[in-house]
Amino acid sequence: MTVMDEPQRWQDSAEAWDRWADRMAGPADRINRPLLDALGLHPGQVLLDLASGVGEPVLQAADRIGPSGLCIATDLVPAMLTGLQRRAMLSLPAGGLLPCVAADMLALPFADSVFDRISCRFGIMFVPDIAAVGFEIARILRPDGFAVFAVWGDPAANDLFRLIRTGIDSVLPRAPIDPLQVLFRFAEPGALSRQFQAAGMFCTEQVLTQSATTRVDRPFWRATLEMAFAPQVKRLHEGERVAIDQAIQRLAAAKAASQSASGFDEPQLLTLTSQVRLITARRSPPV
Ligand SMILES: C[S@@+](CC[C@H](N)C(=O)[O-])C[C@H]1O[C@@H](n2cnc3c(N)ncnc32)[C@H](O)[C@@H]1O
């Protein structure tokens, strides 16, 4: 796999993630809820969130755990945490505390056996050495603690990324590094679990398949285009950017027409599926 410069990628992405964060809170919630349910959170627990970005799912986790517990947000890139701090000020109740720590999940600045739970949404795929993360989370979890990681599932079941990628490819020459390659690094069943198991963890997996319907004449793809492809989008000329929007719009309209022809939806509506895998990694075998 070709490797990107991750700190630079997220430094270049931080502005777009902060700009879209509040408008994307609704779609984010559809993934956060099952992720937080899988963590079995309750008031008073101590949770560490890895690769927190601009606050999904740690803001909601802090709400579930409440002031009697403690949530700590971490990210490799301080610029991503700036948006999270802004959102925490607005969303947490007065006196709510959400410490934000710039930290690489390969070397976490925390003592042994202190966390009840660890969450990580769409962050683990950007880390080169997964076994090292496995050893690190096993070190900081309490003996009965566990972690839940959300990763993207089968690329064929994630319509929006495919639509955007096809739109970009129809306008620009293929990028030397496919930006989707890393996103779908753990799409295969068992791909992440096997690496954590090699680090001595006990893993289970769950698949979430969801669908959402949108109006096809609205630019529903823009947030994902500007966030997931931020470094590429930043380098585009205005004409290229317009051409990519038009290409995605055409692809979306064609897909909506084909769904409508098969009686699935009205022609102005488009239904997109997404698939996410939740991987639970425990220090001890589940009872
Ligand atoms: C796709 S964003 C996910 C952010 C957030 N959890 C969400 O779901 O919206 C990926 C995040 O992983 C962070 N990241 C990448 N490599 C990391 C590492 N080695 N340790 C900690 N965070 C990392 C990036 O800085 C970025 O904020």
Side-chain angles (χ1 to χ4, degrees):
M1 189 182 73
T2 321
V3 176
M4 263 195 179
D5 177 345
E6 288 304 325
Q8 189 60 51
R9 176 213 291 261
W10 298 107
Q11 184 67 39
D12 287 350
S13 305
E15 181 279 327
W17 279 69
D18 188 18
R19 181 160 41 84
W20 282 105
D22 297 327
R23 281 172 285 177
M24 292 304 284
D29 178 61
R30 285 159 38 91
I31 296 168
N32 291 348
R33 279 176 191 273
L35 168 56
L36 299 180
D37 290 347
L39 283 160
L41 295 186
H42 55 76
Q45 286 176 319
V46 181
L47 172 133
L48 178 69
D49 186 59
L50 303 173
S52 301
V54 292
E56 309 298 349
V58 74
L59 290 167
Q60 280 172 263
D63 194 44
R64 288 197 190 193
I65 283 176
S68 60
L70 176 66
C71 260
I72 301 178
T74 58
D75 199 280
L76 178 66
V77 175
M80 292 294 286
L81 293 172
T82 306
L84 166 50
Q85 282 163 324
R86 175 190 65 75
R87 298 179 76 208
M89 296 260 289
L90 296 173
S91 73
L92 291 183
L97 181 68
L98 181 57
C100 294
V101 180
D104 188 334
M105 68 176 96
L106 285 165
L108 292 163
F110 302 105
D112 296 355
S113 305
V114 286
F115 292 100
D116 297 304
R117 299 289 184 266
I118 295 176
S119 53
C120 182
R121 198 189 99 134
F122 303 140
I124 188 72
M125 54 279 252
F126 304 107
V127 183
D129 186 348
I130 300 303
V133 176
F135 288 120
E136 199 54 351
I137 61 174
R139 180 183 69 76
I140 61 172
L141 275 171
R142 293 192 170 139
D144 59 349
F146 61 89
V148 180
F149 292 81
V151 298
W152 292 108
D154 182 0
N158 279 289
D159 291 333
L160 185 54
F161 287 120
R162 279 193 307 146
L163 207 61
I164 293 173
R165 178 62 209 263
T166 312
I168 293 176
D169 285 352
S170 72
V171 174
L172 300 178
R174 252 196 180 244
I177 302 177
D178 177 355
L180 294 190
Q181 188 183 34
V182 68
L183 254 58
F184 290 103
R185 181 174 164 205
F186 297 118
E188 288 277 314
L192 181 57
S193 295
R194 277 193 293 278
Q195 298 205 36
F196 280 145
Q197 280 155 359
M201 307 224 46
F202 299 86
C203 297
T204 51
E205 298 201 9
Q206 183 188 336
V207 180
L208 295 178
T209 303
Q210 300 182 332
S211 62
T213 300
T214 175
R215 283 192 63 96
V216 78
D217 56 358
R218 300 229 175 103
F220 59 86
W221 63 86
R222 279 222 180 109
T224 305
L225 173 64
E226 293 186 8
M227 293 163 81
F229 298 82
Q232 294 84 350
V233 168
K234 271 182 116 167
R235 291 195 294 270
L236 295 176
H237 305 300
E238 180 58 23
E240 291 171 327
R241 181 56 212 273
V242 170
I244 287 171
D245 272 344
Q246 288 170 341
I248 299 170
Q249 170 89 72
R250 275 194 303 276
L251 290 163
K255 192 172 174 64
S258 121
Q259 288 179 348
S260 168
S262 49
F264 192 65
D265 261 336
E266 297 166 41
Q268 71 275 20
L269 297 179
L270 174 65
T271 296
L272 298 170
T273 60
S274 67
Q275 193 190 84
V276 170
R277 307 187 75 79
L278 296 181
I279 290 90
T280 299
R282 297 174 184 272
R283 274 191 65 176
S284 317
V287 280

